[in-house]
Amino acid sequence: QQYSVDYPSLKDEVRVGNVYMRLWLEAGDGFIKSWEEPVRLFELLFRRLLCDMDRDTKITNMCIRCLERLYAFHINTIGNFEDVMILVRSMALTGSVETQHRFLSLLAVLLGVTKDEELNAKVGVNAGNAEQLLNEESIAQLSQYVAWGHVNGAQIGNMLGRASVG
């Protein structure tokens, strides 16, 4: 017979599988590094991202942040992500500047570029993911963001600052 405990404080928390996303994002690095099924969680998070894309910006951005953090620590276990172009196309379609920013950050991590210089040196560039970006569509899209960021840098910074406060 199974027992369960209800936690009323978790009633309104967003879940993917058995993971409460906000709490997972707040967890220490050791907890994320010790995650037993990173491939399964990555797949669940990616599916949730696709389902909530632009319906709920908060959940969309939480999914992207979770994907980014999970991949950064489990890049070797998860391996190449074959759907990089879905991220590029989703980034082009979203109306949220914050979500576009999150997608760019996730793409960087998928390429093997994280905020952790030591990890970057150890892992190196993920050639399998980088190769998927070597096409006219993704280069045009990423060039557009570079140009937009260069021309509208202060505006983008203000929008992202307001979005991260809320």
Side-chain angles (χ1 to χ4, degrees), residues 47-119:
R47 276 192 236 135
R48 180 69 185 260
L49 167 66
L50 294 177
C51 290
D52 283 312
M53 184 69 188
D54 276 344
R55 287 190 324 175
D56 189 326
T57 304
K58 181 180 175 184
I59 293 175
T60 298
N61 292 332
M62 283 177 70
C63 285
I64 296 170
R65 288 175 55 213
C66 287
L67 286 165
E68 182 179 338
R69 190 158 187 223
L70 182 66
Y71 198 82
F73 287 113
H74 293 282
I75 188 170
N76 292 327
T77 305
I78 296 170
N80 289 342
F81 177 60
E82 300 300 327
D83 293 319
V84 169
M85 285 308 298
I86 291 175
L87 298 177
V88 172
R89 290 178 184 130
S90 297
M91 183 172 55
L93 294 173
T94 185
S96 166
V97 173
E98 181 185 7
T99 301
Q100 289 172 344
H101 177 78
R102 296 273 183 222
F103 273 126
L104 285 169
S105 186
L106 176 57
L107 284 173
V109 171
L110 289 170
L111 293 174
V113 180
T114 69
K115 295 172 185 164
D116 183 342
E117 295 296 326
E118 193 175 304
L119 181 63

Side-chain angles (χ1 to χ4, degrees), residues 18-51:
N18 292 326
V19 174
Y20 291 95
M21 290 189 344
R22 182 185 61 79
L23 300 174
W24 195 85
L25 284 169
E26 293 174 359
D29 291 349
F31 179 76
I32 305 304
K33 288 177 185 176
S34 68
W35 197 260
E36 291 183 12
E37 295 185 46
V39 174
R40 171 95 173 113
L41 181 56
F42 194 88
E43 291 170 357
L44 290 172
L45 287 164
F46 184 62
R47 276 192 236 135
R48 180 69 185 260
L49 167 66
L50 294 177
C51 290

Side-chain angles (χ1 to χ4, degrees), residues 97 101 144-162:
V97 173
H101 177 78
Q144 181 180 354
Y145 286 114
V146 169
W148 189 49
H150 180 70
V151 173
N152 300 313
Q155 179 186 2
I156 292 169
N158 288 339
M159 284 190 280
L160 289 174
R162 283 193 306 270

